[in-house]
Structures are given as C-alpha cells and as structure tokens.
Amino acid sequence: MINGVAEINQNTDPKDAAEKLSKQTTKHIYPDIWTELRALRDMVVELNVHVELLQRENSATELTSLGTRLTTTESKTSDLEKENADLLSSSESRIDQLERENAGEVELSHEMFFFVSSEKPKVAFYAALTDAGTLGPYNTDITLKYSKVFTNIGNAYNPSTGFFTAPVKGVYNLQFTVFGYHAGKIAVYVYKNDQRIMANWDNNNNTVHKYFTKSLVLELKAGDTIHLVLPSGWSIYDSSNNQSTFSGSLLFTL
C-alpha cells in the first residue's frame, strides 16, 4: 500500500490522489466486514445446534428421571398391595376365629339355657294383711294389700299393689285366711286378672271372732295376676298376730 501511495503522489494531483486512496481504503474495509458477518452467522448456527443438543439431553434426563420415579412408585404400590393382601388375610383369619368362638359361645349359651330351663322355677310367697285391726266396712270394693311379707321367693308378689303375678306358665296353689273380730260380716273376693273367680263370706253374729280359710289350684299363664278384694259393706281384721293371710306357690310348670 505504501508503494501505491507513492505512486499516486507521483503521477496524480493531490485531489485525484485522495479519491483514489479513499476507494482503496473502502475496498479493503468492506471485505473484512462481510467476513465477520459470515463468521457471526456460523457462530449463531453452531449455538443453535448446541442449544438443540442441550434440549435433547435435558429431555432425555427428564425422561430418565420420570422413568426412575415411575419404577419407584410401582415398587411402592406393589409393596402396599402385598401389605394389604397380608392384612386382608390376617383379618379373614381373625374373623374366622371370632366366628368359631362366637359359635362356641352360642352353643354354650344354648346349653346353659336348656340346663336352666330344665330346672323348676322357685315361686312361693306368704304375707299378712295389716296391724291396723278392723278394715271396713267401706262403700266401695277395695283391693287388699297384704303388706307384711314373710316369704317372697321369686318376687312374684307385690305388697305395694297386693297383686301376685305368675312368672311362668304352670299350676299354682293359692290360699287365704279371713279373720273377723267383733265384725258382723266378713268377706273376700278372688280375682284372676280383672275377672272375679270366687266370692267368700261369713256372718259373725256378734261373736268374739270368726274366720275361714280357702284354697285354690289354678292354671296360670305367665303374666296372669291374682288379687283379693274386700267387697263394699263387709269387713276383715288383722293385727300383729297375723290372723288374715295370703299365700301361694308354684306346683309345677307347663
């Protein structure tokens, strides 16, 4: 280039020399710029290729990670299914055992029931009426409540109501004694449930005392009741000597 400049200085005037130098300079500059642009383009292409490769590698890594996690999950699922199967088998075994035990208990319960049922129920009571002396006469019928209880095996007699309630179906023996002291008329009615089944009375004729005793043998169902009633216009007497009494017992079941 120095030779060119010297040549321009020798053969041309300064103005022509300047223009020629400018053209030569431009000619040398432009080719360098295109070279750099091509280099930049190649670099960009290379970077794009590199980026695509990285993306592919990342995708492969993620797929590998997902595959590992899936395998782990499947393994845990398999373990859980095995544990559930073991628990189910254990539960079924326990249920079978409980069913066998319950069956044994039910069988034992039935045996005990038949054993107890085969025993004769124990039912017996004996009670006196009152220490108040003469009761009546009244203008209406009243239920006699034998309040002095001496025996009440099976608790079938209720002194609060005066009712005897049959606990089982069977044949019962019932007995009562009616005493009168300075009373003109003594009487007692016998009721089974709400039906009168016996009427008993006696006239004292102003003697010092009078009494009578009656017995009944009745077939009763479980829940049947027996009670005694003092009819209106009649009297009965009792004291600490227990002259008026009511008693009963189960002879046998049916």
Side-chain angles (χ1 to χ4, degrees):
M1 184 180 291
I2 296 175
N3 294 330
V5 174
E7 184 179 351
I8 291 171
N9 289 335
Q10 293 175 0
N11 299 326
T12 61
D13 60 17
K15 182 178 180 181
D16 293 336
E19 290 178 358
K20 189 176 183 178
L21 179 61
S22 176
K23 290 178 180 181
Q24 291 178 353
T25 303
T26 302
K27 184 178 179 181
H28 285 284
I29 292 174
Y30 285 161
D32 293 337
I33 292 175
W34 286 114
T35 300
E36 292 178 3
L37 287 175
R38 283 193 297 269
L40 287 174
R41 183 193 62 188
D42 294 339
M43 186 181 298
V44 169
V45 171
E46 184 179 355
L47 288 175
N48 287 334
V49 172
H50 185 65
V51 168
E52 184 176 354
L53 291 175
L54 288 176
Q55 289 176 345
R56 291 179 181 177
E57 292 177 359
N58 290 336
S59 298
T61 302
E62 290 178 358
L63 288 175
T64 302
S65 176
L66 288 175
T68 302
R69 290 161 59 187
L70 179 60
T71 301
T72 303
T73 302
E74 290 176 347
S75 177
K76 290 182 178 180
T77 302
S78 177
D79 293 340
L80 289 175
E81 289 177 349
K82 183 178 179 181
E83 291 177 3
N84 289 336
D86 293 340
L87 289 175
L88 181 60
S89 177
S90 177
S91 299
E92 291 176 349
S93 176
R94 179 57 178 166
I95 290 172
D96 292 339
Q97 180 182 356
L98 290 175
E99 288 178 348
R100 290 193 296 271
E101 292 176 357
N102 289 337
E105 290 177 359
V106 170
E107 184 177 356
L108 178 61
S109 176
H110 287 169
E111 292 177 355
M112 293 179 64
F113 172 78
F114 289 121
F115 175 76
V116 172
S117 298
S118 64
E119 292 185 348
K120 178 183 177 181
K122 296 177 174 60
V123 182
F125 74 98
Y126 173 71
L129 184 60
T130 181
D131 290 338
T134 299
L135 298 179
Y138 303 108
N139 59 5
T140 185
D141 296 353
I142 65 167
T143 298
L144 294 173
K145 300 176 182 178
Y146 291 77
S147 58
K148 297 184 292 182
V149 179
F150 301 103
T151 302
N152 196 11
I153 297 172
N155 296 314
Y157 175 71
N158 186 346
S160 299
T161 62
F163 280 62
F164 167 76
T165 303
V168 294
K169 182 179 181 180
V171 177
Y172 293 81
N173 177 55
L174 300 164
Q175 180 174 298
F176 58 91
T177 295
V178 177
F179 182 79
Y181 184 74
H182 291 300
K185 299 185 296 181
I186 56 176
V188 163
Y189 294 163
V190 180
Y191 278 78
K192 175 184 176 182
N193 300 323
D194 294 327
Q195 180 181 3
R196 190 175 73 185
I197 61 173
M198 180 182 285
N200 303 274
W201 61 86
D202 200 348
N203 290 316
N204 197 350
N205 296 324
N206 294 320
T207 57
V208 176
H209 61 268
K210 188 79 172 181
Y211 70 91
F212 60 83
T213 298
K214 298 291 182 178
S215 295
L216 302 88
V217 177
L218 297 175
E219 179 183 334
L220 302 177
K221 300 189 299 292
D224 284 344
T225 61
I226 300 293
H227 68 282
L228 306 182
V229 171
L230 177 66
S232 62
W234 298 76
S235 300
I236 189 172
Y237 179 91
D238 195 17
S239 67
S240 59
N241 292 320
N242 305 314
Q243 294 97 335
S244 293
T245 60
F246 181 30
S247 62
S249 62
L250 172 65
L251 297 179
F252 54 85
T253 59
L254 295 175

